[in-house]
Amino acid sequence: MNEKLRMVLEKRYNAEIEDAKYKIECYSQQELLIPEHTDITGEVDKLLTAISSAEDKMAVMELHYGKIKAKQVL
């Protein structure tokens, strides 16, 4: 995998992580309730799955295609 492709994928996965974290923050801090999404715990669970998936993909890229500079997500 070339460096540019790896960098683009890394940015994509980090953006997915940041997007999910922001939405979780909105749910928890502002107690946002969207009429179509009344199951907040279910929505947060989906967002955590998205974070997990993006982190897994970055780990696989590092394992099979060398080191990448991934953000550490806490």
Side-chain angles (χ1 to χ4, degrees):
M1 178 180 300
N2 69 46
E3 186 63 28
K4 184 164 182 141
L5 176 57
R6 187 174 11 188
M7 183 179 67
V8 169
L9 287 171
E10 176 187 352
K11 287 180 180 183
R12 170 189 255 174
Y13 301 144
N14 280 322
E16 289 174 6
I17 291 167
E18 291 303 314
D19 180 62
K21 286 171 55 178
Y22 175 74
K23 288 175 182 173
I24 291 171
E25 183 179 328
C26 286
Y27 280 134
S28 60
Q29 285 184 354
Q30 299 169 9
E31 296 182 6
L32 255 160
L33 187 59
I34 302 169
E36 307 88 49
H37 301 291
T38 56
D39 181 13
I40 293 174
T41 55
E43 290 301 312
V44 171
D45 184 61
K46 288 177 190 175
L47 293 167
L48 291 172
T49 299
I51 291 171
S52 175
S53 175
E55 289 177 340
D56 287 347
K57 289 175 185 178
M58 286 195 297
V60 168
M61 269 196 335
E62 182 175 343
L63 177 67
H64 293 282
Y65 299 103
K67 299 218 182 259
I68 60 171
K69 299 174 186 173
K71 285 185 180 180
Q72 182 176 0
V73 179
L74 298 177

